[in-house]
Amino acid sequence: MDLGLQGLLVGIIFGVLLQRGRLCFNSAIRDVKMTKDNYLMKMALLAILVETIGFQLVAQLGLIKLNPLPFIPLAQIIGGFLFGMGMVLAGGCASGITYRIGEGYITAFVAAIFFGITAAAVRGGPLQIVNKWFGKPITTTNNPSGVYAATDGKVNLTIANLLNVNTWIIAIIFAFLLLVVILVWKTTERKVTGLNWIWGGILVGLTGIIAYLSQKTYALGITGGWVNLLRTTTGNLDLSKGVPYNWIGMEVFGIIVGAFIVALLSKEFKLRMPKDPKTFVQVALGGILMGFGAGVAQGCNIGHILSGLPHLAISSLVFTVFVVAGNWLMVWYLFERK
Amino acid sequence: MAEVKPNYTLDERGEVCPIPDVDTRKKLKEMKSGEILEVLIDYALSKERIPAGVKEVGGEVISIEEIGPSEWRILIKKL
């Protein structure tokens, strides 16, 4: 099957699950602090648990090579922090603003466009100079069991290749820790009309594994998809030349389509606009911070958190810590400060 | 169910996540015991999250009514 078509189908499934599960990483991280509500966080942790084992398994079977994101310390520290603050202003993480376009949120569309344009500017566009400030990736030549994708013998850092131990050992320890947290941490009560956290977590995790098998080079992502959609759509208006939409661009488009279809069916589609026009400025600013952060850090909450943590990539672990810090700081500033 | 007359109304339709939740909690903190707050929302996640979220600030959801396409009216009592 054509790679673009596969991306579209995976995106549609992911969009349906995001909408029905109401899975937004901005909400998941924020609610744990602000309202002591862990419902979405547990859904996300379960998805990461499923992927941790799943990615190992399909790599072991030789179906894919694990491809952790490059570790550029300053990029993930600063990028993660800016991304974490930006998503509070934008009212959603990268996947959150993408699927909410399908639900009819005008603000999500504005945030996503500013996110995509800024990320595209940083990745090969007029702002690409900024990548020089953050330096080059730190790599290793360790490749335990040969499960990692290598370029000239260099592999991006993970806990397993840093320690040079079998990747299964680290994956099983991490999965076990996640399982303990999931079992011990009492779930916040919530009457859901969509998917509950258990189904949402398992199905999102399985979709991540399918995404890896389909795209081969990586699992689910958002940032690269927006960059591709904007660049090919605006850069190649000559329709006689094939428009090179790639897997991840079509996946992002599919998320919007999937969320739109299922929102219509569940009568949750509605064009929504905030009453105060200043909100548009706020979400645009949030989108710019997110686009810059995800652009330099090589990934967003999906690339680094949902898809990156199961790799136990050092880049993704650092990014995640600073996303949480940025999110909590901005939540405090906007909503909790007296 | 007998019609309950709210003391205050918040129209949170169209607002960005999590403004409906934050405004509702803020308003409840200021209210006196026994008063009723009416919140209009169009965001399904807030509809599911508000019942648990208001407990912490001494509120209790007494009803959630669908008033339109993806629009709900939530009545919350300050305990």
Side-chain angles (χ1 to χ4, degrees), chain A residues 14-15 18-19 22-27 83 87 91-103 108 112 115 204 220-223 226 251-252 255-256 259 290 300-303 305-306:
Chain A
F14 192 33
L18 288 171
Q19 202 281 335
R22 319 201 187 292
L23 179 56
C24 172
F25 286 69
N26 179 45
S27 294
F83 186 87
M87 69 184 185
C93 59
S95 50
I97 56 179
T98 303
Y99 91 77
R100 280 178 193 149
I101 293 174
E103 293 184 324
F115 167 70
V204 167
L220 295 162
I222 300 286
T223 318
W226 276 106
E251 175 235 31
V252 164
I255 292 172
I256 300 171
M290 289 165 71
C300 56
N301 60 293
I302 297 299
I305 301 183
L306 182 66

Side-chain angles (χ1 to χ4, degrees), chain A:
Chain A
M1 203 196 311
D2 174 65
L3 212 54
L5 188 59
Q6 288 187 37
L8 180 70
L9 293 176
V10 171
I12 289 175
I13 297 169
F14 192 33
V16 167
L17 296 175
L18 288 171
Q19 202 281 335
R20 290 286 76 203
R22 319 201 187 292
L23 179 56
C24 172
F25 286 69
N26 179 45
S27 294
I29 295 169
R30 179 200 61 224
D31 290 348
V32 168
K33 170 175 163 56
M34 193 173 80
T35 50
K36 313 281 180 280
D37 180 327
N38 65 10
Y39 199 90
L40 290 177
M41 179 57 83
K42 288 189 77 166
M43 188 188 291
L45 292 178
L46 183 54
I48 291 167
L49 166 63
V50 170
E51 286 181 330
T52 301
I53 300 300
F55 289 180
Q56 280 300 316
L57 198 64
V58 292
Q60 174 89 61
L61 294 172
L63 300 171
I64 55 151
K65 286 275 185 199
L66 292 176
N67 202 2
L69 295 173
F71 179 45
I72 310 165
L74 271 181
Q76 273 104 34
I77 290 171
I78 295 170
F81 197 68
L82 294 177
F83 186 87
M85 292 198 291
M87 69 184 185
V88 182
L89 293 172
C93 59
S95 50
I97 56 179
T98 303
Y99 91 77
R100 280 178 193 149
I101 293 174
E103 293 184 324
Y105 279 88
I106 309 293
T107 50
F109 182 70
V110 171
I113 293 297
F114 277 89
F115 167 70
I117 289 174
T118 314
V122 170
R123 290 192 186 173
L127 286 180
Q128 60 177 317
I129 180 85
V130 302
N131 295 297
K132 288 216 176 79
W133 307 342
F134 296 102
K136 287 203 173 359
I138 301 173
T139 54
T140 175
T141 49
N142 296 339
N143 195 347
S145 326
V147 289
Y148 291 110
T151 316
D152 304 327
K154 289 185 199 145
V155 178
N156 288 323
L157 280 183
T158 67
I159 290 186
N161 66 30
L162 190 66
L163 303 174
N164 207 12
V165 295
N166 188 315
T167 50
W168 273 110
I169 297 173
I170 304 296
I172 287 170
I173 292 173
F174 182 57
F176 178 75
L177 289 174
L178 284 175
L179 189 66
V180 170
V181 170
I182 288 168
L183 292 177
V184 172
W185 201 7
K186 189 170 173 289
T187 315
T188 309
E189 218 179 292
R190 187 178 286 191
K191 265 194 204 120
V192 291
T193 44
L195 285 169
N196 68 22
W197 71 271
I198 297 175
W199 277 110
I202 291 172
L203 292 173
V204 167
L206 292 176
T207 306
I209 300 165
I210 292 168
Y212 223 148
L213 291 170
S214 165
Q215 188 182 206
K216 301 287 185 202
T217 49
Y218 204 62
L220 295 162
I222 300 286
T223 318
W226 276 106
V227 171
N228 175 250
L229 281 183
L230 290 169
R231 195 162 280 157
T232 51
T233 306
T234 57
N236 198 349
L237 294 175
D238 180 358
L239 293 179
S240 64
K241 296 174 189 162
V243 184
Y245 289 109
N246 62 16
W247 187 95
I248 192 168
M250 293 309 288
E251 175 235 31
V252 164
F253 182 61
I255 292 172
I256 300 171
V257 172
F260 172 68
I261 294 170
V262 80
L264 266 188
L265 293 176
S266 53
K267 299 198 178 67
E268 287 178 354
F269 180 82
K270 187 192 154 204
L271 281 177
R272 299 155 168 101
M273 276 239 258
K275 287 178 278 295
D276 184 353
K278 280 202 293 288
T279 308
F280 285 112
V281 180
Q282 181 192 317
V283 299
L285 180 65
I288 291 170
L289 288 177
M290 289 165 71
F292 187 89
V296 297
Q298 311 295 320
C300 56
N301 60 293
I302 297 299
H304 267 309
I305 301 183
L306 182 66
S307 306
L309 289 184
H311 287 85
L312 276 306
I314 305 295
S315 56
S316 301
L317 289 162
V318 171
F319 181 82
T320 304
V321 167
F322 283 88
V323 166
V324 172
N327 174 284
W328 285 2
L329 178 73
M330 190 54 92
V331 164
W332 169 81
Y333 183 78
L334 283 185
F335 308 129
E336 298 182 328
R337 204 165 41 112
K338 291 284 176 255

